[in-house]
Every structure is written in structure tokens, then in C-alpha cells.
Amino acid sequence: MPIRKQEFYEGAALHILARSGSVRSLNIYPPFIEVNGSVGVLLKYCTRGRSPWGFTFMPDEQLALQSRANTGRTVVGLVCGSDGVAALEYTSYAQIAGPRVGALRVSCFRDHGTHYEVSGPDGVLSRKVAPSAWSKILELENY
């Protein structure tokens, strides 16, 4: 069976988490990967080599995120090519990308050596996201 491009990017993001030493279990509940039985992760990827990176959230993904967030901790992982992963708690995602009837787009920008700036149709996230935040999603409640 061939390996799909999406699996390469998701695998890279999960490898970073695994190296943190905090992963005990992974379960797949499409479109989420549940980590350690408690953190629901939705991974999106962009193959672009450098900033800016764009991510499209279809209406069904938006509804799934909203529903999952009502039942437990939910994190959106934006895989920015080979640069890294920008991690957003659902509450941060919802500030910049409230549910829409149609598809919506979220963007990440990062100059070399800086943090990720994340924006969506409802504005720019009030804080920048450290590249290291992704590897710490299982250690910290809110980062």
C-alpha cells in the first residue's frame, strides 16, 4: 500500500510528539487523532516550503472541531511544510475562525527564528505561537 502525502506530514507531527516521551496511546477517530485517551488532535498540513502557509477547513471539519471541543480538550496542529507545527487550542482557533457555512482559510506566517503568527477570517490571534508549543501539548493544559 503506498504512503499518502498526508500520512508523511501527520507522521512527522506525531513523531515530534512521541519524542517528547508523553505519548502513551494513539487512537484514530476521523478526522481526529486522540492522544492518551484525552486530547483530540486535528492535523492540517501545507506542503509549501516557507511562510506563509495556508490551511482550508471544510464545513464538516469545522462542525467536528466544535463538537469535539464540547466533549474534551481539542488541539489543531497546523503542519507548516518542513518548518514545524503551530499548535492551537480550540479556543484560540475559534477566536480567529468561527464556524462558517462554507470553507474557511487559516494562515500561518513566520520569519526565520520567530514564532508563528496565525490568522483567520475573524482576525489575527492575539499572541504568537512558539514552534516548541506542539511538542508540549501533552504537558500543559494551556500554553
Side-chain angles (χ1 to χ4, degrees):
M1 174 189 288
I3 300 172
R4 297 179 316 186
K5 189 182 296 190
Q6 176 181 356
E7 293 166 338
F8 275 109
Y9 287 97
E10 288 179 350
L14 293 173
H15 177 78
I16 293 168
L17 278 185
R19 283 194 345 224
S20 75
S22 301
V23 176
R24 295 183 310 278
S25 68
L26 295 173
N27 294 302
I28 309 296
Y29 301 107
F32 298 98
I33 298 170
E34 187 177 77
V35 184
N36 294 348
S38 62
V39 180
V41 174
L42 176 67
L43 290 169
K44 300 293 284 182
Y45 74 94
C46 177
T47 61
R48 186 175 165 90
R50 58 185 172 178
S51 178
W53 297 277
F55 307 89
T56 302
F57 290 82
M58 300 306 290
D60 59 329
E61 291 172 315
Q62 296 171 50
L63 289 173
L65 273 167
Q66 191 174 35
S67 177
R68 173 64 175 83
N70 289 332
T71 64
R73 187 156 172 245
T74 305
V75 175
V76 176
L78 303 174
V79 183
C80 300
S82 62
D83 187 75
V85 183
L88 299 174
E89 293 279 349
Y90 177 76
T91 53
S92 294
Y93 165 85
Q95 290 173 10
I96 61 164
R100 301 283 196 280
V101 173
L104 65 84
R105 188 158 176 85
V106 170
S107 297
C108 281
F109 303 90
R110 181 166 107 95
D111 288 327
H112 181 71
T114 65
H115 290 44
Y116 293 105
E117 181 179 311
V118 186
S119 63
D122 296 327
V124 178
L125 191 62
S126 60
R127 62 174 178 79
K128 293 192 177 185
V129 178
S132 62
W134 173 250
S135 63
K136 297 176 182 173
I137 66 167
L138 301 174
E139 300 170 17
L140 307 171
E141 248 339 274
N142 291 302
Y143 42 87

